[in-house]
Amino acid sequence: MFKNAYLNGVMETVIKRNPAEPEFHQAVREVLESLEPVIEAHPEYEKAGLIERLVEPERVITFRVPWVDDKGNVQVNRGFRVQFNSAIGPYKGGLRFHPSVYLGIIKFLGFEQIFKNSLTGLPIGGGKGGSDFDPKGKSDNEVMKFCQSFMTELSKHIGADTDVPAGDIGVGGREIGYMYGQYKRLRNEFTGVLTGKGLTYGGSLARTEATGYGLCYFTDEMLKDAGKSFEGATVVISGSGNVAIYATEKATALGGKVVALSDSNGYIYDKNGVDLAAIKQLKEVERKRIKEYVNIHPEAEYHEGCSGIWTIPCDIALPCATQNEINKESAEILVKNGCFAVAEGANMPSTPEAVEVFQSGGVLFGPAKAANAGGVATSALEMSQNSMRYSWTFEEVDAKLHDIMVNIYRNSRDAAAEYGMAGNFVAGANIAGFKKVADAMMAHGIV
Ligand code: NDP
């Protein structure tokens, strides 16, 4: 598997100790592959058991979430919080509410979060949480009941200086509001324990936009370095949630034409460029399915099934839905159709085989932990504003986000080049993110 025997041993233990968690294995394997030259150059890491410690979460919490639905039936979901690594700051990472959530998904996301958070240059450790609860089709009252029950247990484990969760799939402003209300009631304190809060109670301007905007800032910098740009480019974006919507907004502002968006049922293709105001109304206000778009724009097409979106010819692809949504076949079609850049808004949306197709096909490839770090970076800016009890303007936050994304791109590029892998931003991001965490862990001794 790896040339390095130490890393081989660690990987074997990860698989043995965490059976039936393929997404977690996939995330660890990808990072360890990139770290091979670093481990060879730094034998002190092996001596300190650094990698064994890095792949084992500091704490895993699972809990029962009982609640009563609108018909009076008792429902029971499972809640998770994985506090993966606090070497460089309090645990930080989103909460995902989706029926596919189980411990392996939360561990893969929490592990990725360690390096992503480090890459932002801000003092935040890695964590992730969530539940197999599905907010789709639930009333506001049911979502509130669930969020209150979830937070009743979670509140025992988090805190503004300990662990600061945020949103992710299925957790937006409404859910954060209900959870914050419950935390405040239980603790009788008004602290920045969650990010992605509403603007009336401690939220940061530009947090809603941050992941999608940041993705485009990263992509823009990567394109510029290769003598290309968004200007006049055809862009395909999967998903139609928070990340996809604001990636569409910024890609369009930078001169691109976004022709497709999707949800977990299917995708729309609008050759004139998608009408973002209509999408926002459908998804953010009415919480409807993407297929409704063709009722507003009959000249657009709707197709059932998600993966077909990657058959639409485009210059730039921004996967912003979920993990493993681009497989080898989809990647090959994208390359064949002339796609020259892929940047990941979602977490781990490309399978390892798809990444290989992009890299060997000469496609500029921005991996999630670098390209989508703008969300958590702005969450950290929200934490700073909460600590100061002060708010920056939209322009101030956006300018900081822009600088952070440009730095993430440059640090990833430079780290890749330093270890002889120029142009491989997957390796560069992993190495650049790892170094700071490794230094801090070495300084803390065996803990
Ligand atoms: P949302 O819940 O707002 O939107 C998710 C979108 O992806 C929806 O359109 C959803 O469709 C679609 N989707 C979800 N699961 C699947 C699936 N199994 N197959 C196809 N489509 C699916 O989530 P976000 O936009 O916040 O998150 C999207 C991705 O970005 C995730 O990978 C998340 O981890 C990542 N991310 C998010 C950040 C943030 O700040 N929000 C920060 C960094 C990364 P449907 O409505 O049908 O479920």
Side-chain angles (χ1 to χ4, degrees), residues 4 62 64 70 116 131 185 207 269 274 318 410 418:
N4 184 287
T62 68
R64 180 171 68 201
D70 288 347
K116 180 188 305 192
S131 173
R185 175 162 72 166
R207 173 62 187 92
Y269 171 61
V274 297
L318 304 176
R410 292 184 183 161
E418 186 186 336

Side-chain angles (χ1 to χ4, degrees), residues 236 238 267 305-314 316-319 322-342 344 349-359 361 363 365:
V236 165
S238 62
Y267 66 94
C306 307
S307 61
I309 194 170
W310 308 119
T311 64
I312 299 170
C314 65
I316 299 170
L318 304 176
T322 194
Q323 63 275 355
N324 292 328
E325 53 168 314
I326 303 186
N327 61 14
K328 182 168 182 269
E329 290 69 39
S330 296
E332 283 169 349
I333 296 169
L334 280 165
V335 174
K336 189 165 112 291
N337 285 341
C339 173
F340 57 70
V342 176
E344 300 183 318
S350 316
T351 64
E353 297 76 26
V355 176
E356 170 61 31
V357 170
F358 293 139
Q359 290 181 327
V363 174
F365 180 72

Side-chain angles (χ1 to χ4, degrees), residues 228-243:
K228 298 180 188 295
S229 82
F230 269 106
E231 197 58 54
T234 299
V235 185
V236 165
I237 299 183
S238 62
S240 49
N242 172 263
V243 181

Side-chain angles (χ1 to χ4, degrees), residues 96 136 168 170 207 211 240-243 264 289 321-322 346-347:
R96 176 176 292 192
K136 261 199 243 87
D168 189 73
R207 173 62 187 92
T211 309
S240 49
N242 172 263
V243 181
S264 54
R289 310 305 296 159
T322 194
N347 283 310

